[in-house]
Amino acid sequence: MAQEEKIDSIGLLDENELAYFVAHANELEHPREMVIDVLRAIQKNHGWVPDEGVELTATILRLEPIEVEEVATFYDKIFRRPVGRYPIHVCDSICCWSNGGQELAEQFKQQLGIEFGQTTEDGLFTLLPSCCLGVCGCAPAVMIHQQHYGPLSREDVGELINRLRREASA
Amino acid sequence: MPTLTIDNQQVTVEDGTTVLEAAEQLGIVIPHFCYHKALGAVGACRMCAVTVHEGTFKGLKMSCLIKVEEGMVVTTDDAKSVVFRERVSEWLMLNHPHDCPVCDEGGECQLQEMTIASGHGVRRYEGQKRTYNNQQLGPFIAQEMNRCIQCYRCVRTYKDYCGGKDFGVMGSRNRVFFGRFKDGPLESDFSGNIVDACPTGVFTDKTFRFKSRFWDLQEAPSICPHCSLGCSTVPAGRYGELQRVRSSVNEKVNGFFICDRGRFGSSYANHPERPRQASRGQWKLTRDEALVQLDSKVRELIRQHGPEAVLLLGSNRASLETNWMLQRWAEKIGCRAPLLSAHLPRHLAAQVAAFDLADRLASLEKIRQSDLVVLLGVDPLAEAPMLAVALRQAVKKGGQVLAYDPRSIELPCVFEQQSMSPLQLLELLDQDKSPESGRLLDLLKKAESPVLVPGGDLLGAGGLLRVQKLAVVASNQTRSCLVHPVLAGPNSFGCGLLSLPEQDDLLTQLESGRIKMLVCVETDPLLEAPNGERFAKALSRLEELAVLDYLPTLISAHTKLFIPTSAPVEAAGTFVNNEGRQQLFVPVMEPRLPIAVTGSGSHPPREFLPEAPGSDPRPAWQLLQQLLGEEVELAQLRERMKTAVPRLIDFDKLQPGGVFCRVSDADERSCYADEISAQPAGSLQLVVSPARYGSDLLSRFSEKLKPRFTDACLQLHPQDAAERGLDDGMKVALKTDCGEYYLTLRCVEGVATGCAVVENGPAFPQLVPGGKLGFCQVAAGGRHD
Amino acid sequence: MSTLQLLFKNRRAGETVFMTGYKATGGYQALEKALTKMSPEEIRTLVKESGLRGRGGAGFPTGVKWGFFPADAPGPKYLVCNCDEMEPGTYKDGELLAADPHQLVEGMILSAFALQTGVGYIFIRYAYEQQAGYLRKAIEEAKTAGYIGKNIFGSGFDFELYVHGSAGRYILGEETALLNGLEGKRPNPRMKPPFPATRGLFGRPTTVNNVETIANIPHIVSGGALWFRDLALTPGSSGTKLYGLSGHFNVNECFELPVGIPLREIVENYGGGIRGGRKFKACLPGGASTPYLTAAHMDVALDFDSLQKVDSRYGTAGVTAFDDRTCMVAATLNLIQFFARESCGWCSPCRDGLTMMRWLLETIDNGQGTVEHLAMLKDQLENISGNSFCALAEGAMGPVAGLLNHFEQEIVDHIEKGHCPFRK
Ligand SMILES: Cc1cc2nc3c(=O)[nH]c(=O)nc-3n(C[C@H](O)[C@H](O)[C@H](O)COP(=O)(O)O)c2cc1C
Ligand code: SF4
Ligand code: FES
């Protein structure tokens, strides 16, 4: 049967992940409940979810691509367009706002030379506004790859960027 | 049955009715967008707000969501509700591009109407509007997302109701987008319904783009002529062109929607080669001259060779009126009774439906509510598309669908499919012959409202009679097991009803040589009867051939005497659908050449003529009236017909465009008996199935549908292919009683073993569905034609 | 300041307590007691008597909600823990889980037993990946200890517990949207009725509760209903509460304090006053969706009923303070921006009404507003309030109502001056 055919993950998932998801999809009564898990795994490996990632998710979970897309495009933290290696989510909700969140955002824009929604030319950083990150006590804060940084001062911004640059070239 | 007060008027309604529906019964239209009778209420748009003064929940409430209560008091016109609805309009118009001047929906736009009705007239919002890029959705549907008001009706129609899989809603907040995963043609066979469902100009009929304003269209209630279901439609014409078709409501039949074949298959009426002038060979004739020639030739031949010499042929594409007038003309000129179909097996099947099954026919509405529907040799998407949508509703309500078929069937719902050759199907119906019979009978007996859906083409009259017996056994005192037979054409049932019990075969008649003249009324035996090649030979022996038709068929082009008739959209008439529903249609427009042709698109035309070019065609029944020397109003003609055929419903009880009446039951009649011929060794059972598009002649001659036409192929179960050493994609030779054909092989798991399946359609018109059980041989061997 | 610490009793800066530490302070004793000595029904009654009200924001009495649950019905039933926590100013559940994940795990098993649900899900927001990791580890430990799985404590009760991640949207906190999200569908809220208790996750009876609500259950089982009621400072209230402080306080931390503590205590004592020696102007008492309190409300007790009386809400008790330099128009605009962006896009008042409102506030904030804009703002508030499909847009109206109630003059100043009086 076609179903049993081996799925090619085209490098978006590694062998173990793929095997795990396929096994669970066969086991679960509602494989669809894994849609976010698969999308997040693809994003973790690839940085963002390309069209092929949506199709791959659909194949694994036996859905139509549009059914996956309906979900993928709903969530802010699933990227359906390329982002830099370090997407920086700058919180712009009330607690960060009241603690200089706007100035912090300006600082990032200046230091990276990009606007919100853009990626630096070296492909390292994408700047994104985000709603409350859940660390209101540490405002103003940013999140990079599910790691929080805050409260951040002007000086911290440069330091953080430099650290990530070093990490990237290491 | 609670009684409530809405705007000071009392109304008593069923339990469970919503306030919106109750108001409707009082004639109060509460503005709404997301509510749709077929799709239900989802409470998204908030347009239907009213104020509840007495009731469990008081205050401003959404009338589509709250259920009526005894003693409830509601107002729709109080200041609070009125202001709120105005605000909703304002919100919905926030991003609207105000492009009504170039919008195809203009004039029939629910958003325009509701905006005006709500009193919102001046834009106050001056912020940025969100804009979208549109998608290319194929030849039928145009998308303009900037006009969207997010009522979610398109996706609820396309996906939830019709079961389409490639359409959805993406994004969120004030940026939701309705479309496909990627650009590309919409795949559903019911895609056009989003045009009707969309309350604004997001999804419009691409084939109708920029052609007309709604108020300039000529519209009339009509019946779809593309299959035997008889869905209600509203075709629309302008300047001599049939420009579009939209669905109409018939809760007993189609409900609210129609299929793409019915919607986009209408351009046969404007076919560039449509014959519009009477002629004899190369000679052009006036209509009157042609009728005189027809009449005198018929009389002359009967005089010379006796009544057998002339044969009149009606058809299931022609109205009840036309077929009946044809019978009367035969009486008058003294020839034998007309055959009402060129295709005897299809006609016999229709007769079984019209007589033997008449007391247990089920409507599509019954199917939508059924808990068990059994398909017996019927492929809904090919033979009766809206049946597939009805099945989906049954399944959504918790019902079960079971399909026995030699073909690999697709349905827009979950169902159980069992591959079975035609012979096995007959065994299944013969009960106790097949192990499956027992299970089937058990299921039927246990079901609360079972419906059997036999395919007339595949089972033939003999099969339908077996179905009737099965239905009797599966019925009990409290409920009957109903049957919904799928037939060949829009008026198959009507033709079955009119004709005499004993029927013979047109081809045998012609080959006997006794017939000198054939008069075909709206039919082409070369395309519509089995064995076109033998037909062609037999026709060449005729002394005279006359054709009355509105399609540029093969036979229209080669006939000696041709008289143009008007298309169904240009005439009044009656069709009786597959479950015996007698339905009227009225003319939408006059026959004539479209301005686009005569005036190169400019208007008014440059040349002033007393009559519009191409306006000769007349309804066939009118031509026959002229031949009979009668000239009575349609109403009177129908009265006479009703007297002659007592089973018909009184015509003055009917409304055009679908009705709630079914012809009355029939008396017992002597039954038809069939023999099943023995299968030759090494042969396969031949299954000729209609293609989804272009099997019926109307859709074959509709330019708009061309993108949906498929290539011809021969389908075998992989096992049968392997036994013959054949591979998928190979050229193979198919040997049948009608001839030998060369086709590309496709191996399909779902095809029953021991069967060869071919599709009749534009790419392969040679074999016609329906007919006696046929056998064939398949072998390797391509020939390059 | 020593008040009784229940939820935060194991909390130490920078540390997370796992099984050993958790058991050292009495962890899983309530579970053992309940599963060996109590019937599910008894636990439900106890919770009802404890007066515990939901900590997710709506404050619905937990015992009453559990009372509607068809615990004895056959077939699969679910318990879902709501750890979406995306309302600005709210971070208490994150703090709780970072300190002591086993509390939630024990609470889940106990609640599942009380409700007789065989499967539990903890739905956790994208940004709490760290906490999700702690939870996974705690669940593994609980499995090894035999607290999760088959026949727990020989009671015949079986339970499986899963952590389910999200991908970032506030609407997932709305319980029916959460259920759609869990099922892998578009997380639009569902129509109610049917309520989740009848048709919830995968169409089966489901209870959704907040992290803090569930974490309280073991304490109620151990301490009893009366004791729990007595923890609160105001009559009619019960228990302690996690107060997450943010904004212009000197100390922006999360404290466990009694329900009913006066605002003054929070501002002056725990918050350490307003930063830079400035004056307290206003606060959101319970997250972004709660109408502002002002300096006039210093002596109001922070509990569900008292705050309702002053036209505000207790919400999640995330207190965000604003100093006297804050422009309340701008603050409200920021909040509306959040809600407009987080709208799921299902219903018109929220999807488009909030857009309209954002534009009005922007216009006023820019100094381009007129008295007509003020009138329109009031009119939008009136028409959006109470008329959206779910409570998101309803919540968004909280700060707008607060703005118009207490700071209308600031709007007028913007209009009259033609610019923001707080900016040069
Ligand atoms: C827009 C919206 C967001 C919500 N977010 C949360 C949330 O993050 N966490 C939570 O526990 N409840 C949230 N709620 C409340 C839940 O719908 C639900 O009432 C709650 O989870 C019930 O748990 P409780 O009774 O224990 O408080 C939210 C409600 C709305 C309308
Ligand atoms: S109020 Fe309406 S649009 Fe907003 S989140 Fe709720 S359902 Fe969605
Ligand atoms: S019709 Fe009632 S909310 Fe849309």
Side-chain angles (χ1 to χ4, degrees):
Chain A
M1 294 293 293
Q3 296 265 312
E4 307 300 322
E5 265 168 38
K6 201 163 151 35
I7 298 170
D8 181 3
S9 72
I10 43 174
L12 295 173
L13 292 173
D14 69 35
E15 285 304 306
N16 293 337
E17 287 167 326
L18 181 65
Y20 172 87
F21 287 132
V22 170
H24 269 66
N26 287 332
E27 226 169 76
L28 287 174
E29 197 187 338
H30 314 277
R32 189 176 185 145
E33 68 180 270
M34 289 199 302
V35 59
I36 291 292
D37 301 319
V38 182
L39 289 168
R40 275 176 57 170
I42 291 171
Q43 179 154 306
K44 199 161 187 178
N45 297 333
H46 188 256
W48 59 288
V49 181
D51 287 358
E52 296 75 20
V54 171
E55 285 157 347
L56 173 64
T57 310
T59 311
I60 294 174
L61 303 180
R62 301 196 289 276
L63 296 171
E64 296 294 323
I66 181 73
E67 292 176 291
V68 176
E69 184 76 334
E70 287 188 318
V71 174
T73 54
F74 192 96
Y75 291 98
D76 278 3
K77 303 295 186 279
I78 302 286
F79 306 129
R80 284 288 283 112
R81 282 193 234 159
V83 290
R85 178 153 164 198
Y86 300 103
I88 306 176
H89 300 278
V90 186
C91 177
D92 63 6
S93 290
I94 192 77
C95 307
C96 290
W97 173 85
S98 63
N99 281 304
Q102 280 173 315
E103 292 74 23
L104 180 70
E106 279 313 309
Q107 195 64 28
F108 271 105
K109 288 181 192 170
Q110 249 178 38
Q111 299 226 353
L112 295 171
I114 52 173
E115 290 298 314
F116 273 136
Q118 296 180 336
T119 301
T120 51
E121 261 173 34
D122 56 8
L124 281 186
F125 302 100
T126 301
L127 209 53
L128 296 165
S130 172
C131 68
C132 180
L133 297 169
V135 287
C136 310
C138 312
V142 304
M143 180 175 77
I144 303 165
H145 290 156
Q146 295 175 307
Q147 276 273 91
H148 293 106
Y149 303 87
L152 289 181
S153 64
R154 276 173 168 276
E155 301 72 56
D156 296 339
V157 172
E159 214 170 281
L160 179 62
I161 292 174
N162 287 335
R163 214 181 72 213
L164 294 172
R165 283 220 169 98
R166 279 199 303 278
E167 186 187 299
S169 56
Chain B
M1 296 269 286
T3 300
L4 71 160
T5 311
I6 305 177
D7 291 347
N8 295 319
Q9 301 179 62
Q10 288 215 334
V11 62
T12 305
V13 293
E14 297 272 324
D15 262 327
T17 310
T18 63
V19 171
L20 188 137
E21 290 159 350
E24 206 168 57
Q25 295 187 19
L26 283 172
I28 301 170
V29 181
I30 302 176
H32 60 267
F33 285 115
C34 65
Y35 167 81
H36 182 287
K37 202 157 184 199
L39 308 173
V42 294
C45 75
R46 318 308 269 183
M47 189 72 198
C48 63
V50 296
T51 301
V52 179
H53 303 270
E54 291 297 332
T56 313
F57 303 102
K58 295 192 182 62
L60 197 71
K61 292 280 167 282
M62 300 311 137
S63 61
C64 70
L65 296 182
I66 41 168
K67 301 269 189 291
V68 293
E69 294 168 27
E70 181 61 43
M72 204 176 211
V73 179
V74 175
T75 55
T76 71
D77 54 358
D78 58 291
K80 204 172 161 151
S81 318
V82 168
V83 169
F84 179 72
R85 292 198 303 259
E86 190 183 337
R87 290 300 165 270
V88 174
S89 259
E90 177 169 35
W91 294 329
L92 295 177
M93 291 299 289
L94 237 49
N95 297 295
H96 194 278
H98 287 193
D99 60 345
C100 308
V102 292
C103 177
D104 267 310
E105 195 83 358
E108 54 178 341
C109 174
Q110 204 181 336
L111 181 60
Q112 281 179 337
E113 280 160 28
M114 295 295 165
T115 306
I116 291 166
S118 73
H120 167 63
V122 178
R123 174 187 287 280
R124 302 188 293 178
Y125 172 78
E126 290 161 7
Q128 282 200 332
K129 294 183 193 177
R130 59 101 180 85
T131 54
Y132 297 107
N133 290 324
N134 294 316
Q135 289 183 322
Q136 290 302 322
L137 298 176
F140 297 147
I141 312 288
Q143 186 194 38
E144 180 46 70
M145 264 304 291
N146 291 339
R147 300 174 184 146
C148 180
I149 58 159
Q150 293 90 15
C151 66
Y152 292 76
R153 258 156 66 162
C154 54
V155 65
R156 285 153 64 215
T157 301
Y158 191 98
K159 197 159 106 173
D160 302 349
Y161 197 92
C162 298
K165 288 186 167 160
D166 59 329
F167 185 88
V169 46
M170 290 158 280
S172 71
R173 57 184 78 114
N174 62 348
R175 295 201 316 221
V176 285
F177 188 94
F178 299 87
R180 296 184 82 244
F181 175 50
K182 289 177 176 174
D183 280 16
L186 290 167
E187 286 160 14
S188 163
D189 293 296
F190 309 96
S191 68
N193 290 313
I194 62 174
V195 172
D196 292 345
C198 175
T200 173
V202 178
F203 297 107
T204 51
D205 181 338
K206 204 181 228 174
T207 67
F208 173 62
R209 259 209 142 175
F210 307 134
K211 287 201 165 181
S212 292
R213 279 299 182 199
F214 166 69
W215 54 77
D216 288 327
L217 288 170
Q218 293 164 274
E219 288 196 327
S222 199
I223 302 300
C224 178
H226 283 86
C227 80
S228 66
L229 295 182
C231 298
S232 288
T233 59
V234 182
R238 184 174 179 230
Y239 290 157
E241 181 185 6
L242 191 75
Q243 297 191 327
R244 71 162 191 199
V245 173
R246 62 185 170 94
S247 62
S248 178
V249 182
N250 184 345
E251 299 204 21
K252 297 279 167 190
V253 183
N254 53 312
F256 292 77
F257 304 117
I258 57 171
C259 72
D260 283 358
R261 196 204 295 177
R263 185 183 302 268
F264 300 111
S266 63
S267 54
Y268 64 88
N270 316 321
H271 196 287
E273 278 144 43
R274 173 173 166 188
R276 290 172 181 274
Q277 168 134 41
S279 60
R280 168 172 285 281
Q282 300 295 312
W283 300 97
K284 289 189 174 155
L285 301 174
T286 66
R287 195 171 55 232
D288 290 345
E289 287 165 354
L291 286 174
V292 169
Q293 290 194 11
L294 175 61
D295 196 50
S296 53
K297 190 74 195 173
V298 163
R299 287 173 195 278
E300 178 195 322
L301 286 171
I302 292 177
R303 236 186 355 261
Q304 279 177 12
H305 305 281
E308 290 278 280
V310 171
L311 187 62
L312 310 183
L313 183 63
S315 103
N316 66 29
R317 281 199 271 131
S319 66
L320 205 60
E321 288 81 354
T322 296
N323 282 300
W324 184 67
M325 288 301 285
L326 194 63
Q327 290 181 325
R328 296 208 31 227
W329 187 45
E331 281 165 25
K332 169 110 186 263
I333 56 179
C335 71
R336 46 160 301 155
L339 294 181
L340 296 188
S341 171
H343 193 315
L344 181 66
R346 277 184 152 181
H347 187 63
L348 293 172
Q351 279 192 316
V352 174
F355 289 91
D356 308 275
L357 295 170
D359 57 342
R360 55 177 69 251
L361 291 168
S363 63
L364 282 185
E365 184 192 36
K366 280 267 158 33
I367 290 186
R368 288 192 283 271
Q369 290 158 358
S370 167
D371 62 337
L372 176 67
V373 188
V374 182
L375 304 181
L376 297 156
V378 64
D379 179 353
L381 288 176
E383 298 174 61
M386 283 308 289
L387 167 61
V389 175
L391 294 171
R392 178 172 170 83
Q393 310 320 309
V395 170
K396 273 185 16 189
K397 290 215 176 80
Q400 193 192 350
V401 173
L402 213 67
Y404 298 97
D405 209 277
R407 294 161 285 188
S408 162
I409 286 184
E410 283 174 29
L411 284 179
C413 59
V414 202
F415 72 110
E416 185 192 318
Q417 176 166 2
Q418 297 217 11
S419 292
M420 232 175 227
S421 74
L423 277 172
Q424 287 170 321
L425 251 170
L426 292 176
E427 271 172 24
L428 172 79
L429 294 173
D430 268 340
Q431 297 157 52
D432 58 75
K433 271 198 197 159
S434 139
E436 182 65 18
S437 305
R439 182 180 91 109
L440 176 58
L441 190 58
D442 264 3
L443 284 171
L444 287 170
K445 281 185 169 166
K446 274 195 218 120
E448 268 171 34
S449 46
V451 182
L452 297 171
V453 183
D457 276 354
L458 210 116
L459 294 181
L464 291 193
L465 285 168
R466 287 176 172 82
V467 170
Q468 189 250 352
K469 290 199 188 104
L470 176 62
V472 171
V473 181
S475 297
N476 57 39
Q477 284 101 328
T478 55
R479 58 120 186 94
S480 217
C481 174
L482 300 181
V483 181
H484 182 87
V486 172
L487 304 176
N491 203 22
S492 290
F493 194 108
C495 290
L497 183 78
L498 284 184
S499 57
L500 306 168
E502 68 280 1
Q503 285 287 317
D504 40 23
D505 184 26
L506 175 61
L507 188 55
T508 332
Q509 293 265 339
L510 289 177
E511 285 177 339
S512 74
R514 284 196 301 268
I515 293 176
K516 305 294 174 209
M517 177 173 183
L518 179 68
V519 182
C520 299
V521 180
E522 299 182 348
T523 179
D524 179 355
L526 296 174
L527 296 173
E528 289 170 301
N531 221 336
E533 268 176 48
R534 256 171 75 195
F535 246 110
K537 251 186 237 132
L539 288 179
S540 66
R541 299 172 56 183
L542 289 173
E543 197 167 304
E544 179 76 319
L545 173 65
V547 173
L548 288 72
D549 206 346
Y550 52 88
L551 289 179
T553 57
L554 276 177
I555 207 169
S556 301
H558 296 115
T559 186
K560 287 190 180 146
L561 182 61
F562 178 82
I563 308 176
T565 64
S566 47
V569 287
E570 298 155 350
T574 307
F575 286 151
V576 186
N577 82 351
N578 64 327
E579 35 112 14
R581 200 166 297 274
Q582 181 182 330
Q583 310 194 99
L584 310 187
F585 51 93
V586 289
V588 173
M589 56 184 214
E590 314 256 279
R592 59 179 248 193
L593 273 172
I595 295 255
V597 178
T598 56
S600 323
S602 64
H603 181 75
R606 306 283 153 80
E607 236 179 307
F608 293 91
L609 304 167
E611 284 213 50
S615 61
D616 261 6
R618 285 289 174 278
W621 57 262
Q622 257 181 22
L623 298 175
L624 290 162
Q625 245 191 352
Q626 202 172 331
L627 287 168
L628 278 159
E630 282 175 5
E631 210 172 311
V632 297
E633 293 286 311
L634 180 62
Q636 211 179 332
L637 181 153
R638 282 174 168 168
E639 222 169 275
R640 289 182 191 168
M641 179 162 74
K642 157 74 192 159
T643 316
V645 189
R647 286 183 64 198
L648 294 178
I649 303 289
D650 262 342
F651 281 85
D652 37 336
K653 286 200 186 128
L654 305 179
Q655 291 281 325
V659 290
F660 305 102
C661 295
R662 188 183 280 146
V663 298
S664 56
D665 297 351
D667 295 335
E668 295 264 322
R669 58 167 200 146
S670 57
C671 267
Y672 154 97
D674 70 327
E675 303 151 25
I676 302 173
S677 28
Q679 176 162 11
S683 71
L684 291 160
Q685 295 173 50
L686 176 63
V687 178
V688 183
S689 178
R692 285 192 201 169
Y693 296 89
S695 184
D696 67 298
L697 288 194
L698 299 190
S699 70
R700 193 175 306 169
F701 285 104
S702 281
E703 182 72 20
K704 283 184 189 177
L705 278 180
K706 272 203 175 144
R708 288 275 173 102
F709 290 173
T710 45
D711 292 337
C713 67
L714 178 106
Q715 299 177 21
L716 288 183
H717 189 275
Q719 197 183 312
D720 285 324
E723 275 169 21
R724 288 165 177 73
L726 304 173
D727 281 331
D728 195 83
M730 238 181 188
K731 275 269 180 199
V732 291
L734 168 72
K735 272 186 218 135
T736 72
D737 292 345
C738 299
E740 191 166 327
Y741 310 100
Y742 300 92
L743 292 158
T744 309
L745 178 69
R746 267 187 54 213
C747 297
V748 180
E749 284 284 343
V751 167
T753 49
C755 293
V757 179
V758 287
E759 274 183 3
N760 163 273
F764 186 64
Q766 289 92 332
L767 292 174
V768 176
K772 283 239 165 66
L773 194 60
F775 301 102
C776 63
Q777 307 275 349
V778 176
R783 192 177 64 182
H784 290 285
D785 293 316
Chain C
M1 281 146 272
S2 75
T3 55
L4 181 62
Q5 300 289 290
L6 308 174
L7 304 170
F8 274 177
K9 72 176 167 196
N10 293 328
R11 181 179 185 234
R12 267 167 296 279
E15 270 181 47
T16 308
V17 161
F18 287 100
M19 189 59 97
T20 328
Y22 185 63
K23 287 191 79 164
T25 58
Y28 288 109
Q29 285 179 9
L31 181 69
E32 181 166 4
K33 173 178 165 187
L35 266 70
T36 53
K37 302 204 179 75
M38 294 173 82
S39 71
E41 166 108 55
E42 275 173 287
I43 303 174
R44 297 201 298 267
T45 312
L46 186 67
V47 171
K48 196 169 202 166
E49 285 167 356
S50 77
L52 173 67
R53 292 177 66 168
R55 304 304 198 215
F60 196 80
T62 308
V64 176
K65 181 151 141 184
W66 287 13
F68 297 139
F69 192 78
D72 302 324
K77 289 170 296 228
Y78 299 98
L79 171 66
V80 175
C81 173
N82 187 344
C83 185
D84 193 61
E85 191 158 77
M86 284 190 63
E87 179 152 327
T90 307
Y91 60 102
K92 53 163 185 110
D93 296 339
E95 294 278 315
L96 173 64
L97 294 178
D100 198 1
H102 271 291
Q103 268 200 90
L104 178 61
V105 176
E106 183 178 2
M108 283 296 281
I109 309 168
L110 246 171
S111 307
F113 176 66
L115 297 167
Q116 292 293 296
T117 57
V119 178
Y121 283 94
I122 300 172
F123 187 88
I124 187 160
R125 67 174 291 185
Y126 179 82
Y128 286 172
E129 186 56 21
Q130 206 170 30
Q131 287 90 332
Y134 299 156
L135 275 171
R136 288 194 192 97
K137 177 167 169 188
I139 289 171
E140 277 316 307
E141 285 183 337
K143 271 190 191 161
T144 315
Y147 304 150
I148 292 179
K150 299 257 176 252
N151 194 17
I152 305 164
F153 283 112
S155 63
F157 175 65
D158 306 336
F159 183 59
E160 282 307 323
L161 181 58
Y162 305 103
V163 177
H164 196 289
S166 179
R169 285 309 292 282
Y170 172 54
I171 188 61
L172 275 293
E174 200 284 337
E175 58 183 5
T176 57
L178 186 154
L179 296 178
N180 276 336
L182 251 181
E183 290 181 13
K185 298 184 180 145
R186 275 175 73 79
N188 293 116
R190 296 178 182 174
M191 194 123 67
K192 289 188 258 185
F195 289 92
T198 359
R199 278 178 62 96
L201 192 62
F202 305 118
R204 304 291 315 167
T206 304
T207 286
V208 184
N209 275 118
N210 173 257
V211 174
E212 189 185 347
T213 311
I214 289 174
N216 268 308
I217 304 296
H219 300 291
I220 294 173
V221 168
S222 304
L226 264 184
W227 165 81
F228 190 76
R229 280 178 174 272
D230 282 347
L231 294 173
L233 299 182
T234 40
S237 305
S238 58
T240 62
K241 179 80 195 72
L242 303 182
Y243 294 83
L245 273 48
S246 62
H248 293 150
F249 288 120
N250 269 313
V251 182
N252 280 338
E253 277 177 33
C254 191
F255 298 97
E256 180 173 13
L257 299 166
V259 174
I261 192 167
L263 176 61
R264 184 181 306 282
E265 279 275 305
I266 298 272
V267 177
E268 293 176 2
N269 203 347
Y270 294 93
I274 298 300
R275 202 171 308 161
R278 305 212 63 95
K279 283 219 306 262
F280 173 91
K281 177 175 185 179
C283 74
L284 295 161
S289 62
T290 54
Y292 302 117
L293 297 184
T294 67
H297 294 114
M298 275 300 174
D299 297 312
V300 171
L302 299 182
D303 67 45
F304 291 105
D305 299 334
S306 310
L307 282 170
Q308 199 161 8
K309 282 190 201 123
V310 296
D311 290 329
S312 186
R313 291 194 307 113
Y314 193 38
T316 61
V319 186
T320 309
F322 302 106
D323 68 18
D324 54 359
R325 276 185 309 195
T326 312
C327 169
M328 296 313 287
V329 174
T332 311
L333 170 60
N334 177 279
L335 289 163
I336 284 297
Q337 233 150 7
F338 165 82
F339 288 109
R341 194 166 64 192
E342 291 306 314
S343 166
C344 79
W346 179 252
C347 71
S348 320
C350 178
R351 182 189 58 236
D352 301 321
L354 294 186
T355 310
M356 177 87 179
M357 202 154 225
R358 178 177 60 194
W359 168 73
L360 284 169
L361 286 166
E362 246 163 32
T363 308
I364 295 169
D365 186 47
N366 284 341
Q368 285 160 358
T370 61
V371 281
E372 281 85 39
H373 290 108
L374 174 56
M376 277 159 76
L377 190 67
K378 289 181 180 170
D379 166 90
Q380 294 288 322
L381 171 67
E382 188 172 327
N383 282 292
I384 295 174
S385 298
N387 294 327
S388 54
F389 187 82
C390 83
L392 188 144
E394 187 65 23
M397 292 304 98
V400 183
L403 177 71
L404 286 164
N405 268 343
H406 306 302
F407 301 104
E408 186 168 341
Q409 188 53 43
E410 270 187 34
I411 302 180
V412 175
D413 289 348
H414 278 76
I415 292 172
E416 285 176 353
K417 292 204 167 76
H419 62 83
C420 172
F422 295 87
R423 273 172 275 170
K424 278 281 112 60

